Amino acid sequence: MTENVENQETMMDAMNSVQDVNIGDIVQGEILTIQDNKQAIVGIVGGGVEGVIPFNELSSTPFENVTDVVNVGDVVDLVVIKPIKDKENGSFLLSKRRIDAKKVWEGIQKDFEAGTIIQAPVTDVVKGGLVVDVGIRGFVPASMVDAHFVDDFSVYKGQTLGFKIVEIEPSENRLILSHKAVVEAEKEVAKKEIMTKLVEGDTVTGTVARLTNFGAFIDLGGVDGLVHISQISYNHVKAPGDVLTVGEEVQVKILSINEETGRISLSIKDTQPGPWENIEERAAVGSTLSGIVKRLTSFGAFVEVYPGVEGLVHISQISHNHIATPHEVLHEGDEIKVKVLEVNPTDQRLSLSIKALEEKPASEKSEKEDVVDYTLPEEDSGFTLGDILGEQLSDMTSEDDE
């Protein structure tokens, strides 16, 4: 009698311990067997029934074998999807993938709220962007892949990258990520660090990063500075691409740094010898140089004899013949020969002459030859012009008297 009572109590305890299993319930299941690498049969803990996990409900990440995810004896969390009419393999259809995804969404939600950068591999390249595996499927639009234009996204496949969570909507399985935001944030941090080390007036090495119609952007190791077209060379530059190429290493002088705007102004030409350096040797007095007429004024012509070095041919030095304006014999762009009359490196001035290289007209020669120069330096002769003329007049009077 006592034994029967105890058996009844044990059966009652077992019946009371069995819980109802409903769709949507999260339950624990023990892996009982694995069938043909297609599904796993589980016993629902506390449910008193069995269920089945199909292959496609085992994991949200790619796998080849069921045993890559679960093994016999494992106890895993599952969600009840629906009852099974054919109860040969169990009473309920279960999913491990969906319960895992729920946990992932919860973690991603926390990362999103905290602004955490997550690391994940790029699993595929699709039209319009990248597919990323973060335990669930994430999508990176093309405009958010990188900080620069990318023509071929295939180079990212297989890479594990950092991503910022831009948009999250679990109910729609929508997760939008951005690698570009991470790259830009890293660049900003590096930029501030580098800028603290740069000093105005220093000469540093950089690499030509981009060319525009107004200048060249130089990469100084994580921060770009601008060399305006006027600061590229002492020679006239029509387009930066005429003298610079992307990837070329150049020496630049730091002209100014604006930490508020992050702008850095640079100069290439200030690292090169100035056009007036050693000008007394390159344009020695009396030497003959080739030049180009750059400008004409009412008082003369400015001629460029070296890049960045212009000298003045005064109107009186243009021709032996009388001219009213330089425009009568010269034009801008003319290539001419000039003689150096005077060099002033301090004031950066050159006095030049065209006529000094030309033969004097015969009329000018004869006129000068017929002219008698009565000027005698008093310190050399010791006599004044009056003394000389006085003696000549005295001789003439004596002859008349005779």
Side-chain angles (χ1 to χ4, degrees):
M1 184 71 177
T2 304
E3 184 178 351
N4 289 336
V5 172
E6 289 179 353
N7 289 337
Q8 289 179 359
E9 289 179 351
T10 302
M11 291 178 61
M12 289 295 295
D13 291 341
M15 291 177 63
N16 290 334
S17 65
V18 174
Q19 300 176 356
D20 291 334
V21 178
N22 300 301
I23 296 173
D25 284 353
I26 296 175
V27 298
Q28 283 193 318
E30 181 182 355
I31 308 299
L32 301 177
T33 184
I34 295 172
Q35 295 181 337
D36 301 329
N37 198 40
K38 293 182 179 179
Q39 60 189 17
I41 306 301
V42 302
I44 299 177
V45 177
V49 294
E50 293 181 356
V52 59
I53 310 173
F55 188 92
N56 62 351
E57 290 294 337
L58 279 166
S59 177
S60 58
T61 57
F63 65 97
E64 295 183 2
N65 301 304
V66 174
T67 52
D68 294 337
V69 182
V70 294
N71 288 280
V72 174
D74 290 348
V75 177
V76 295
D77 291 332
L78 304 165
V79 63
V80 180
I81 301 176
K82 64 180 181 180
I84 300 175
K85 293 180 181 180
D86 181 6
K87 299 184 179 181
E88 181 179 347
N89 292 321
S91 301
F92 294 95
L93 186 68
L94 308 171
S95 174
K96 178 179 180 296
R97 177 182 66 84
R98 301 186 190 189
I99 198 70
D100 290 346
K102 182 180 179 182
K103 292 178 180 178
V104 172
W105 279 111
E106 291 172 352
I108 290 176
Q109 182 67 44
K110 292 180 181 178
D111 288 335
F112 176 64
E113 293 172 357
T116 304
I117 301 302
I118 61 175
Q119 301 290 321
V122 177
T123 57
D124 201 3
V125 176
V126 296
K127 184 178 180 180
L130 305 176
V131 175
V132 177
D133 178 19
V134 292
I136 56 175
R137 183 183 186 274
F139 181 66
V140 185
S143 62
M144 299 183 185
V145 171
D146 220 321
H148 59 272
F149 174 75
V150 178
D151 185 48
D152 182 10
F153 290 130
S154 64
V155 296
Y156 294 96
K157 187 173 181 178
Q159 292 190 41
T160 297
L161 305 172
F163 297 96
K164 180 180 180 180
I165 302 169
V166 177
E167 186 178 341
I168 178 173
E169 186 51 65
S171 62
E172 299 179 5
N173 287 324
R174 181 180 176 83
L175 177 63
I176 305 300
L177 306 172
S178 173
H179 177 60
K180 176 182 178 179
V182 176
V183 173
E184 290 181 338
E186 290 174 347
K187 281 188 173 182
E188 191 61 30
V189 171
K191 182 178 180 179
K192 290 180 179 179
E193 184 178 349
I194 292 170
M195 288 188 69
T196 59
K197 298 177 182 178
L198 298 177
V199 179
E200 291 183 9
D202 281 359
T203 297
V204 296
T205 301
T207 304
V208 179
R210 287 181 292 132
L211 297 174
T212 69
N213 59 351
F214 57 83
F217 285 94
I218 310 299
D219 180 6
L220 302 178
V223 58
D224 288 352
L226 174 64
V227 177
H228 189 267
I229 190 170
S230 63
Q231 291 294 326
I232 292 177
S233 174
Y234 287 108
N235 299 330
H236 175 67
V237 177
K238 291 184 179 180
D242 293 341
V243 293
L244 297 173
T245 56
V246 173
E248 178 184 356
E249 191 173 90
V250 292
Q251 293 288 309
V252 291
K253 182 178 180 180
I254 302 173
L255 300 181
S256 64
I257 301 173
N258 190 322
E259 293 185 3
E260 292 183 2
T261 62
R263 293 179 180 176
I264 303 173
S265 296
L266 308 171
S267 174
I268 293 176
K269 76 176 187 181
D270 281 2
T271 66
Q272 302 169 345
W276 288 87
E277 190 170 324
N278 300 324
I279 193 62
E280 288 178 297
E281 297 176 8
R282 295 185 294 140
V285 173
S287 61
T288 299
L289 303 174
S290 296
I292 298 175
V293 177
K294 290 294 185 179
R295 291 175 292 134
L296 294 174
T297 67
S298 59
F299 55 84
F302 286 92
V303 179
E304 185 180 59
V305 292
Y306 290 110
V309 177
E310 291 184 4
L312 173 64
V313 179
H314 190 268
I315 189 171
S316 64
Q317 292 295 327
I318 292 177
S319 174
H320 289 287
N321 299 322
H322 173 73
I323 57 173
T325 67
H327 299 76
E328 293 181 21
V329 293
L330 295 174
H331 305 86
E332 291 184 2
D334 285 352
E335 294 185 11
I336 60 173
K337 295 285 188 180
V338 291
K339 184 176 182 178
V340 180
L341 301 181
E342 182 184 352
V343 183
N344 188 331
T346 303
D347 296 334
Q348 296 187 350
R349 294 176 60 182
L350 278 180
S351 295
L352 308 172
S353 174
I354 298 173
K355 77 175 187 179
L357 298 176
E358 298 174 348
E359 189 176 351
K360 300 175 184 178
S363 59
E364 186 177 342
K365 286 181 182 179
S366 60
E367 287 176 3
K368 291 196 173 183
E369 288 171 355
D370 293 340
V371 175
V372 178
D373 186 1
Y374 288 102
T375 304
L376 294 173
E378 295 184 5
E379 64 274 19
D380 290 342
S381 64
F383 296 94
T384 65
L385 184 60
D387 293 334
I388 295 172
L389 291 177
E391 291 179 0
Q392 291 178 345
L393 289 173
S394 176
D395 292 341
M396 291 173 62
T397 303
S398 301
E399 291 176 357
D400 291 339
D401 291 341
E402 294 177 355

